[in-house]
């Protein structure tokens, strides 16, 4: 047993015909016997018992039977493990004259790969009778022939072999001849006619005998031919071949009618008895179809194409016959020389056209290679391309397995076209290529991947419900159901975010919808995660962050904080007639619930009792005098200030201001111009009570005024300039500090005095909170009418 050569880096494997590499197989072949002409699907053997396997193991391991020739004569029943005949076998057709008719086959198992060699011996039955090629044999014998002389006769052909083949010859009873059966070196039996006594042409010039051939079957079969014997005049010398046997080599690809060799025989007789003619002696059908001989020249020519793979040599019997009927025998041995005229053959025994990705070493295919040539012409190399992740492994004799070299990745490459090349070592080299396509089936090994790790969606507030606000998208590199993606909202970590009532997602395409109208003032931005899950097993998923920003819409009108519009009676702003141009009357304070430019507020004077007397600063809402006041100006003024935002479209609000021009803060405060009509219907008792309360209040205020004047006089002595300021630290604790952090340009301090339901109160305007602002008016008191609840003290 030769040593198997190692696989080279180029993955070529040199295979010799007689090299045997057993991979988990038996060393002894399985041997079975069956008679020819047995009906198809007949039982041959129980493989599971012979191989030591369970019946279910045959099906699980994809057991199959592969014959060495091109035909499959056997089949395997995977349910029972029985080996059956596929068709009726004819031994003579399969093996011809070869007595030991053996069909070789292999049993292939996978997972793991095992190959068992088997032999099916075809036993001959006596189904053919001996037959002669001619219906009559003509034999010329000279009359001076001596008793005991042998005369060869033509042999009969029996396709059966062994004991069923031709066994003996007999001839019809007569007094001059009998038959002698001789064994040839090749095992054939030849009949020789033996002369028993002298012949006399004049007494009996001709004999007609029946030659019978018998085989050894039970019962025996026979064939007959008529032997016609002509008694000839004397011919002393038979022809003799110069060289015998002849040996010649002929290339199997020799053209038709090409000469093979010329034979030569000589006859010592003269005249007609010395002339020689040549012929084939008792040729078989194959010999007659393949060769011809020239009767005159003895040249043998080729009549049919030679095939070394079918017949490697020929044994041709020739004869030379002179004019007197004597003959000489010769032998020609023709050896067919093999040429590389057969390309290697590749037969696929097993093929897995689809294999899963990420699988370890996997058997893709089991195949067998064969070259019908011999010698170097029959040696083969088997290879596959270098750029594929597969390798070839020799298994048993000329069987190979194609296996994966490493796990495959369908996402990198989903299909492989592999060309298996088998090349012989002849001259010229012949090769056979066989391509197989291998598909890589998908395994769920890739999670869905979002196109972005985070998404930012912009939604304007007050949207309609079920509004499509955006989409998320994920892809999966897998295929089929492993690539089908389902989108979902993941639970949020913020327990105060009602995500389920805010947005929803389409599970099929990832579209996001707002379930209800959003309010920028209530919720400006929120974040959540969305998940993408494939349909594989196990399912894989990924997630992405979605940030929803609510855009502000101008849906809030400005709201006026000061002056308050929900009081039972409007407040009146007091302005001394001595006020200079630009005197700050009051400031309108407003806010807007929107943001950005929607919350940018502007102020304008919409209506005025006397246009041109007052003005409103557009950016801070301060109401100031536009010119100096005069005695001709009316005492009461009604101003309507419009507050408008910068949205699109803009929204606005208005506020009404009442301004009273006074000569001094000691002047009695006149009642508001817009007193409620109910006051005119008070009863007399109420009027008296009011008058009494006003009197008491006047006396109290007068006392306070005297006290203040006295204190002021004392301070003026200490400050000759006559100007003083009240430190902020000396303000009483009940004062209200209004800072300028809003839209006010200055800070103010107010003292608010509310008198319950009395309908009167005091308001002291103390000072702006600036260290360098001098007090213009000090000690001035103004008493409001009973409809104003606030009093301001300026200092």
């Amino acid at each position: 047993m030769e040593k198997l050569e190692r696989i080279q880096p180029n993955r070529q494997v040199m295979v010799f015909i007689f090299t045997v590499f057993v991979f988990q197989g038996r060393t002894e072949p399985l041997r079975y016997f069956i008679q020819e002409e047995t009906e198809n699907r007949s039982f041959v053997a129980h493989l599971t018992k012979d191989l030591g396997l369970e019946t279910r193991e045959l099906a699980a391991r994809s057991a199959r039977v592969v014959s060495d020739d091109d035909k499959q004569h056997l089949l395997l029943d995977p349910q029972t493990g029985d080996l059956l005949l596929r068709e009726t076998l004819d031994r003579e057709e399969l093996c011809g004259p070869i007595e030991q008719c053996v069909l070789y086959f292999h049993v292939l198992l996978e997972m793991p790969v095992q190959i068992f060699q088997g032999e099916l011996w075809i036993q001959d039955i006596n189904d053919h009778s001996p037959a002669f090629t001619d219906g009559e044999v003509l034999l010329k014998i000279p009359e001076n022939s001596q008793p005991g002389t042998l005369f060869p006769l033509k042999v009969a052909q029996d396709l059966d072999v062994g004991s069923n083949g031709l066994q003996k010859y007999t001839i019809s009873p007569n007094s001059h001849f009998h038959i002698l059966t001789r064994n040839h070196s090749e095992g054939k039996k030849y009949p020789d006619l033996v002369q028993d006594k002298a012949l006399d042409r004049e007494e009996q010039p001709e004999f007609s005998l029946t030659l019978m051939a018998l085989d050894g079957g039970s019962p025996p079969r026979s064939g007959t031919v008529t032997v016609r014997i002509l008694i000839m005049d004397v011919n002393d010398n038979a022809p003799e071949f110069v060289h015998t046997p002849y040996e010649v080599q002929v290339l199997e690809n020799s053209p038709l009618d090409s000469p093979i060799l010329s034979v030569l025989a000589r006859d010592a007789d003269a005249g007609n008895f010395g002339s020689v003619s040549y012929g084939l002696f008792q040729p078989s059908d194959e010999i007659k179809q393949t060769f011809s001989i020239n009767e005159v020249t003895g040249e043998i020519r080729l009549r049919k194409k030679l095939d070394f793979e079918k017949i490697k040599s020929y044994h041709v019997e020739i004869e030379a016959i002179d004019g007197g009927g004597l003959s000489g025998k010769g032998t020609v041995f023709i050896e067919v020389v093999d040429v590389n005229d057969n390309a290697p053959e590749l037969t696929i025994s097993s093929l897995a056209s689809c294999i899963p990705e990420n699988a370890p070493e996997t058997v893709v295919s089991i195949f067998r290679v064969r070259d019908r040539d011999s010698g170097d012409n029959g040696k083969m190399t088997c290879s596959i391309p270098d750029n594929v992740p597969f390798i070839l492994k020799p298994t048993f004799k000329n069987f190979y397995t194609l296996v994966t070299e490493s796990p495959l990745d369908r996402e990198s490459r989903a299909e492989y076209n592999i060309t298996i090349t088998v090349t012989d070592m002849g001259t010229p080299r012949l090769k056979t290529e066989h391509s197989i396509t291998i598909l890589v089936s998908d395994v769920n090994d890739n999670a869905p991947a979002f196109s972005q790790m985070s998404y930012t969606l912009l939604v304007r507030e007050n949207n309609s419900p079920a509004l499509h606000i955006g989409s998320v998208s994920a892809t999966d590199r897998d295929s089929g159901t492993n690539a089908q993606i389902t989108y979902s909202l993941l639970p949020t970590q913020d327990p105060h975010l009602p995500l389920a009532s805010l947005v929803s997602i389409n599970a099929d395409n990832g579209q996001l919808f707002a379930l209800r109208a959003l309010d920028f003032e209530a919720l400006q931005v929120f974040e959540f995660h969305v998940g993408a899950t494939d349909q594989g097993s196990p399912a894989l998923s990924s997630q992405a962050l979605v940030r929803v920003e609510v855009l502000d819409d101008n849906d809030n009108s400005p709201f006026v904080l000061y002056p308050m519009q929900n009081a039972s009676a409007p407040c009146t702003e007091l302005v001394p007639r001595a006020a200079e141009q630009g005197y700050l009357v009051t400031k309108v304070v407003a806010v807007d619930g929107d943001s950005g430019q929607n919350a940018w507020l502007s102020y304008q004077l919409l209506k005025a009792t006397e246009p041109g007397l007052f003005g409103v600063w557009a950016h801070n809402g301060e109401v100031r005098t536009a010119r100096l006041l005069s005695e001709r100006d009316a005492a009461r003024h009604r101003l309507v200030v419009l507050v408008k935002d910068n949205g699109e479209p803009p929204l606005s609000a208005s506020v009404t201001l009442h301004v009273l021009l006074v000569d001094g803060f000691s002047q009695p405060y006149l009642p508001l111009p817009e007193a409620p009509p109910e006051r005119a219907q008070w009863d007399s008792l109420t009027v008296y009570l009011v008058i009494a309360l006003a009197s008491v209040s006047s006396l109290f205020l007068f006392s306070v005024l005297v006290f203040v004047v006295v204190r002021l006089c004392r301070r003026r002595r200490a400050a000759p300039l006559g100007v003083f300021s009240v430190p902020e630290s000396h303000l009483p604790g009940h004062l209200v500090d209004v800072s300028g952090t809003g839209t006010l340009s200055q800070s103010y301090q107010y003292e608010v005095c509310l008198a319950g339901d009395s309908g009167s109160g005091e308001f002291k305007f103390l000072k702006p909170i600036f260290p360098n602002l001098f007090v213009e008016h000090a000690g001035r008191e103004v008493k409001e009418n009973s409809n104003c609840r606030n009093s301001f003290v300026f200092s």
Side-chain angles (χ1 to χ4, degrees):
M1 184 180 294
E2 300 181 3
K3 184 179 179 181
L4 180 67
E5 295 187 0
R6 297 179 61 86
I7 300 176
Q8 299 300 323
N10 61 358
R11 299 181 183 169
Q12 291 189 343
V13 181
M14 179 70 70
V15 179
F16 294 93
I17 295 300
F18 299 104
T19 300
V20 177
F21 181 83
V22 180
F23 181 76
Q24 296 184 2
R26 290 167 55 108
T27 57
E28 293 296 329
L30 303 170
R31 182 169 296 177
Y32 304 108
F33 297 88
I34 193 168
Q35 288 187 345
E36 64 170 331
E37 303 299 336
T38 302
E39 294 183 356
N40 60 335
R41 302 194 68 84
S42 296
F43 175 81
V44 177
H46 195 63
L47 274 184
T48 54
K49 178 179 179 182
D50 296 339
L51 298 179
L53 302 175
E54 297 292 337
T55 302
R56 62 178 180 273
E57 191 174 356
L58 291 180
R61 297 181 62 182
S62 302
R64 67 185 64 84
V65 177
V66 180
S67 298
D68 277 7
D69 55 7
D70 296 332
K71 295 183 179 180
Q72 294 293 335
H73 304 291
L74 300 172
L75 60 87
L76 178 62
D77 188 345
Q79 303 300 326
T80 62
D82 294 337
L83 185 65
L84 308 176
L85 279 180
R86 182 185 293 272
E87 59 185 7
T88 302
L89 303 180
D90 186 358
R91 192 207 65 81
E92 289 73 30
E93 180 183 350
L94 294 174
C95 300
I98 301 176
E99 185 171 353
Q100 292 184 348
C101 184
V102 183
L103 298 181
Y104 298 96
F105 65 92
H106 295 87
V107 180
L108 272 65
L109 299 175
E110 297 182 8
M111 297 178 295
V113 175
Q114 285 183 287
I115 300 177
F116 300 92
Q117 186 176 2
E119 298 176 356
L120 181 64
W121 290 64
I122 311 300
Q123 296 176 336
D124 183 49
I125 63 174
N126 192 24
D127 56 345
H128 293 88
S129 299
F132 292 93
T133 57
D134 299 326
E136 183 182 80
V137 176
L138 180 61
L139 185 61
K140 297 178 181 181
I141 301 176
E143 63 177 336
N144 61 349
S145 176
Q146 299 298 316
T149 305
L150 302 179
F151 300 96
L153 299 177
K154 291 186 176 181
V155 298
Q157 302 290 334
D158 193 334
L159 297 180
D160 295 324
V161 295
S163 61
N164 293 324
L166 182 62
Q167 297 297 321
K168 65 179 180 177
Y169 294 91
T170 63
I171 199 165
S172 57
N174 64 91
S175 59
H176 290 80
F177 302 96
H178 73 275
I179 285 295
L180 176 64
T181 302
R182 292 188 300 110
N183 293 324
H184 195 271
S185 59
E186 294 182 352
K188 291 184 178 181
K189 298 184 182 297
Y190 290 88
D192 285 340
L193 186 64
V194 181
Q195 182 179 342
D196 292 333
K197 67 178 185 177
L199 302 175
D200 187 353
R201 181 177 177 275
E202 288 72 23
E203 179 181 348
Q204 188 175 353
E206 181 177 340
F207 294 88
S208 180
L209 305 176
T210 300
L211 179 64
M212 178 182 292
L214 297 171
D215 62 20
S218 179
R221 291 174 175 264
S222 63
T224 60
V225 66
T226 299
V227 179
R228 184 181 173 205
I229 303 173
L230 297 180
I231 307 301
M232 306 296 295
D233 283 338
V234 176
N235 183 17
D236 297 328
N237 296 287
E240 293 181 359
F241 285 96
V242 177
H243 301 288
T244 185
Y246 292 90
E247 294 181 358
V248 64
Q249 291 182 335
V250 183
L251 296 177
E252 65 171 326
N253 60 349
S254 298
L256 295 179
D257 202 37
S258 60
I260 297 178
L261 83 161
S262 295
V263 296
L264 178 62
R266 293 189 175 94
D267 194 316
D269 293 325
N272 185 44
F273 293 138
S275 62
V276 178
S277 62
Y278 301 93
L280 300 176
F281 179 70
Q282 299 184 358
S284 63
D285 292 339
E286 181 67 27
I287 296 295
K288 288 191 297 183
Q289 294 173 4
T290 307
F291 305 100
S292 66
I293 187 169
N294 190 300
E295 294 183 355
V296 178
T297 62
E299 184 182 53
I300 299 176
R301 287 182 174 270
L302 187 64
R303 296 184 60 184
K304 188 179 77 170
K305 280 287 188 180
L306 301 177
D307 190 351
F308 173 84
E309 288 68 39
K310 291 184 178 180
I311 301 178
K312 296 178 174 55
S313 63
Y314 294 88
H315 181 88
V316 181
E317 296 288 341
I318 58 176
E319 66 176 351
I321 304 175
D322 61 16
L326 297 180
S327 62
K329 305 298 185 292
T331 303
V332 179
F333 291 102
I334 301 175
E335 181 183 357
V336 181
V337 178
D338 182 41
V339 296
N340 195 26
D341 60 342
N342 290 280
E345 300 174 2
L346 187 148
T347 304
I348 299 293
S349 300
S350 172
L351 176 62
S353 59
C354 187
I355 57 178
E357 65 174 332
N358 302 333
E361 182 177 294
T362 305
V363 176
V364 177
S365 176
I366 301 176
F367 61 92
R368 177 170 57 94
V369 296
R370 181 177 62 175
D371 196 315
R372 298 180 183 273
D373 297 321
S374 62
D376 289 341
N377 297 331
K379 296 177 180 178
M380 295 168 289
T381 59
C382 189
S383 63
I384 59 174
D386 293 333
N387 58 347
V388 293
F390 299 90
I391 57 175
L392 286 176
K393 289 186 176 181
T395 52
F396 180 77
K397 286 190 177 180
N398 51 354
F399 282 89
Y400 289 87
T401 56
L402 178 66
V403 299
T404 57
E405 186 177 23
S406 58
L408 305 180
D409 184 10
R410 190 204 65 83
E411 289 71 37
S412 299
R413 188 171 179 180
E415 179 179 318
Y416 292 89
N417 291 315
I418 302 176
T419 300
I420 303 174
T421 303
V422 184
T423 307
D424 63 24
M425 304 303 292
T427 303
R429 294 193 175 188
L430 302 178
K431 68 178 181 180
T432 297
E433 293 183 347
H434 185 87
S435 296
I436 59 177
T437 300
I438 300 174
L439 301 178
V440 183
S441 61
D442 186 49
V443 173
N444 193 27
D445 57 346
N446 290 277
F450 282 93
S451 58
Q452 302 173 215
M453 294 303 298
S454 63
Y455 296 82
T456 300
L457 307 180
L458 305 179
V459 184
R460 189 166 294 279
E461 67 172 329
N462 302 323
N463 58 282
S464 59
L467 176 67
H468 176 225
I469 60 176
S471 300
V472 295
S473 177
T475 57
D476 196 312
R477 296 181 62 196
D478 295 321
S479 64
T481 57
N482 295 331
Q484 295 178 1
I485 298 176
T486 300
Y487 299 91
S488 62
L489 297 177
L490 300 181
T492 179
Q493 301 296 326
D494 187 358
H496 303 292
L497 179 64
L499 183 62
S501 63
L502 291 177
V503 294
S504 68
I505 189 170
N506 189 309
D508 297 326
N509 54 29
Q511 292 183 347
L512 292 166
F513 299 90
L515 297 179
R516 60 180 175 86
L518 301 179
D519 186 4
F520 173 83
E521 288 71 34
L523 182 64
Q524 298 180 359
V525 63
F526 61 94
E527 295 179 346
F528 57 92
H529 287 86
V530 295
T533 306
D534 59 28
Q535 302 298 315
S537 179
L540 301 180
S541 62
S542 61
Q543 62 182 15
L545 177 66
V546 178
R547 176 183 176 90
V548 179
E549 297 181 359
V550 183
L551 301 179
D552 182 43
D553 201 1
N554 193 27
D555 58 345
N556 289 281
S557 299
F559 178 76
V560 178
L561 298 177
Y562 180 83
M564 299 176 61
Q565 298 299 298
N566 57 354
S568 60
C571 294
T572 300
E573 305 292 344
L574 303 180
V575 177
R577 289 185 177 274
E580 297 181 354
Q581 179 181 356
Y583 178 82
L584 176 64
V585 178
T586 186
K587 180 173 183 175
V588 177
V589 181
V591 294
D592 196 309
D594 297 319
S595 66
Q597 69 177 19
N598 294 330
W600 296 352
L601 301 181
S602 61
Y603 304 84
Q604 67 181 71
L605 185 60
L606 187 63
K607 293 181 181 180
T609 303
E610 186 173 342
L613 181 59
F614 298 97
V616 178
W617 285 25
H619 299 297
N620 57 16
E622 293 181 351
V623 180
R624 295 178 180 270
T625 57
R627 59 177 175 80
L628 294 174
L629 303 179
S630 65
E631 295 297 332
R632 294 190 300 273
D633 294 328
R636 298 181 182 87
H637 294 269
R638 182 173 178 271
L639 306 179
V640 178
V641 178
L642 179 68
V643 184
K644 182 172 63 175
D645 61 25
N646 198 36
E648 184 62 37
L651 302 178
S652 61
S654 62
V655 60
T656 301
L657 302 176
H658 295 277
V659 179
L660 181 63
L661 302 182
V662 295
D663 292 333
F665 290 127
S666 61
Q667 179 180 347
Y669 185 77
L670 299 178
L672 291 176
E674 297 183 1
E678 303 88 35
R679 302 297 177 95
Q681 300 178 2
W682 283 356
D683 55 14
S684 58
L685 179 60
T686 303
V687 173
Y688 295 147
L689 289 175
V690 172
I691 294 174
L693 181 61
S695 301
V696 174
S697 300
S698 300
L699 292 176
F700 176 74
L701 291 175
F702 178 76
S703 301
V704 172
L705 182 62
V706 172
F707 176 76
V708 170
V709 170
V710 173
R711 292 292 300 271
L712 290 176
C713 290
R714 293 178 180 177
R715 290 187 179 184
R716 285 184 178 182
R717 294 190 188 99
L721 295 178
V723 179
F724 67 92
S725 62
V726 180
E728 298 179 12
S729 60
H730 294 169
L731 294 176
H734 60 273
L735 299 181
V736 179
D737 185 6
V738 181
S739 66
T741 58
T743 56
L744 295 174
S745 61
Q746 299 178 354
S747 299
Y748 298 89
Q749 290 177 337
Y750 302 90
E751 179 183 10
V752 181
C753 301
L754 301 178
D757 297 332
S758 63
S760 64
E762 293 183 353
F763 167 70
K764 296 181 180 180
F765 185 92
L766 297 180
K767 59 171 286 187
I769 306 177
F770 287 94
N772 57 350
L773 182 63
F774 294 101
V775 177
E776 297 180 357
H777 303 281
R780 298 182 180 180
E781 291 184 341
V782 179
K783 183 178 181 182
E784 294 184 84
N785 61 358
S786 60
N787 295 326
C788 183
R789 297 174 181 266
N790 300 326
S791 64
F792 298 83
V793 177
F794 297 83
S795 63

